[in-house]
Amino acid sequence: MKSQFASGIMPQKTLQQLLAGTLVTFMAMVSVACAGSESGSATDDPATDAAVSADANVAAVDAGTAAPDIGQPDTATAPASAGLVGTTVLADGNPDPHIVEVKLTAGTTSLKVFDDTPALQMYTYNGQFPGPTLHATIGDKVIVHFNNDLPEATTVHWHGLRISDKMDGNPRIQEPVKPGGTFKYEFVVKDAGTYWYHPHMRSNEQVEKGLYGAIVVHEAKIPPVARERLLVMDDIRVNKDGTFPPFLTSHPSQMHGRLGNRLLVNGKEAPIAVKAQVTDIERWRIVNTANARTMHFDVQGEALVRVVGTDGGLLDKPYVLNKPLTVPVGQRYDLEVLYGAAGKVALRSYVPVLGANNKVVYKPFAQLEVDVADKKDAPDSYTSPFPGAKPHKQRFINRKAVATFKAVQSSISPTGLAWLINDKAYWKDKPLWTFDEGDTVEITIKNLAGPEHPFHLHGQFFEIIEPNDQPGLKDTVLVPGMKTVKIRAYMDNPGQWMAHCHILGHAAQGMMSEMVVNPKKAP
Ligand code: C2O
Ligand code: CU
């Protein structure tokens, strides 16, 4: 069946035309934008990237065998209306509806991830890869009883949550949890949105080996959708014998971070196959948990896709996705997906690979393949469950700060190559910046080197003001090679906060700092 959507507001014909136009333009733009204009970032270790191409091709052949995951999650804790799929949810052991109390154990697990390699010796949360999703509702108190069964010390960082710095997993504040040790994390989730958790000790290795999981904080009123799909996107670098190649030993990995040779969705080799029905509306929550890879996504097939949320939650002005969506490491996006016709819809990732004449080209690889079935009595009109959130308060800038990024040869870094923020590596003895609670800071970030950097601030949200094509609140911004970006940061959460590059190898080589936000003095 070919479904037609009408809206209560727009004359039916206009919307049909709009929809048709969207799809046509969308596909046309994809080929242009990905083949040529983004070649600037295609310089990332082409040899490595070419390896992805070979493996991903192999993966494509196996696409049909993955289990469909339509329907309700196997958990009692997710509200039925949310229908969170693609993940398991941490079981809430507390009967109080406003307290989420969970157990989280980091440990070593042997897991069969790829058909063509032996089981990997991984680091996992609760024996799973990715770790189970932490699910809460805005305003909830979260208590996490954390155990460390790893052979090394670790912490857990709740990426994006505006909580107390004591609970943020910063090993300069929190005593790292030793092997066999425990820690009780306790915080209130103030903002609805899609977040994730991961260690902040030797994260370049610990995250790569499997330590990460998603966090979903639901709005008080959950936008009604057929289901919510968590799409935790990663790439990992493994040898054919199932071992992890050594870390930071190659020049490309020191320069560009560790790019994987296998693409993963929710811990499974891409693409994964799922099912839906015509006129279903889904909410996709995309998280990029890779060590270094900036991802570029599009959706192929008869679907209307709108960007409805970013790092900081739902947008006030959702917009139709009509060009590939760039998701750097650490960022999240919420998409609204409306299936327009029976058939196939695919979420694709554009990966730089070596093409003809050793030229780097972006090639699409399917990540998620949706088999869209006909539906009897499908509705003939469409009302978006994401009409636009209340706009957040934009404020005038009262302070300015600058960050510059560059690399130098220096023995301060274990590799001999050091990545610097404002000419300094690690910033161990003093903060990079000191602000006051309530400050609105314009931060100009200048990348003086070729590799790109996804720069992340803990504990605060910001807007990207230059370029101005990425609306919404963020906690991570991509700073392309040799480019300058500007952000407007809302320093509303007092404490001592990490500020670092989320290419974890860069952070390990010095691209790590802290900023202090002093609490407001009592009047
Ligand atoms: Cu994902 Cu310091 O963070
Ligand atoms: Cu970096």
Side-chain angles (χ1 to χ4, degrees), residues 157 159 196 198 200 330 456 458 498 500 502:
H157 167 55
H159 181 129
W196 62 301
H198 62 76
H200 234 304
H456 172 45
H458 283 212
M498 302 175 101
H500 64 93
H502 222 294

Side-chain angles (χ1 to χ4, degrees), residues 30 34 57 296 298 348-351 362-367:
V30 163
C34 291
N57 276 327
H296 311 274
D298 78 357
R348 308 187 300 178
S349 178
Y350 284 84
V351 179
Y362 277 79
K363 198 176 154 197
F365 292 99
Q367 304 295 291

Side-chain angles (χ1 to χ4, degrees), residues 452-454 501-503 506 511:
E452 59 187 13
H453 304 284
C501 180
H502 222 294
I503 289 182
H506 286 175
M511 228 168 163

Side-chain angles (χ1 to χ4, degrees), residues 73-280:
D74 56 343
T75 167
T77 55
S81 55
L84 212 49
V85 298
T87 174
T88 60
V89 174
L90 279 166
D92 176 6
N94 194 309
D96 186 321
H98 302 296
I99 301 177
V100 175
E101 189 163 358
V102 300
K103 287 190 186 139
L104 192 69
T105 300
T108 51
T109 310
S110 167
L111 274 181
K112 181 88 176 137
V113 177
F114 304 108
D115 291 343
D116 61 349
T117 75
L120 312 183
Q121 302 309 309
M122 305 197 70
Y123 280 6
T124 57
Y125 289 117
N126 292 6
Q128 295 177 34
F129 173 60
T133 298
L134 173 61
H135 176 254
T137 301
I138 187 168
D140 281 356
K141 179 183 196 165
V142 174
I143 302 168
V144 180
H145 300 276
F146 176 70
N147 290 298
N148 182 11
D149 284 350
L150 296 170
E152 60 176 303
T154 193
T155 63
V156 189
H157 167 55
W158 316 93
H159 181 129
L161 295 183
R162 299 193 297 171
I163 56 179
S164 150
D165 60 357
K166 313 273 176 302
M167 294 291 146
D168 197 45
N170 179 349
R172 297 183 191 181
I173 299 179
Q174 179 200 342
E175 183 69 33
V177 187
K178 301 214 169 63
T182 63
F183 190 83
K184 186 164 139 194
Y185 290 96
E186 212 171 325
F187 46 82
V188 171
V189 286
K190 290 196 289 193
D191 307 290
T194 307
Y195 308 92
W196 62 301
Y197 63 94
H198 62 76
H200 234 304
M201 293 278 299
R202 297 196 337 112
S203 51
N204 183 40
E205 292 195 31
Q206 293 192 0
V207 174
E208 175 78 358
K209 288 181 172 171
L211 286 182
Y212 60 76
I215 303 173
V216 170
V217 180
H218 264 117
E219 298 77 16
K221 265 206 199 114
I222 303 176
V225 290
R227 64 199 68 86
E228 295 194 10
R229 281 189 199 288
L230 259 173
L231 296 165
V232 182
M233 318 300 286
D234 190 10
D235 66 340
I236 63 172
R237 192 159 186 80
V238 287
N239 294 322
K240 279 277 171 220
D241 66 0
T243 56
F244 292 95
F247 288 79
L248 283 175
T249 49
S250 75
H251 183 69
S253 74
Q254 294 165 10
M255 288 300 286
H256 301 280
R258 185 183 180 92
L259 291 162
N261 57 356
R262 314 290 290 246
L263 298 169
L264 296 173
V265 182
N266 297 339
K268 299 191 178 62
E269 185 146 43
I272 58 171
V274 299
K275 294 190 173 183
Q277 285 184 295
V278 163
T279 68
D280 279 357

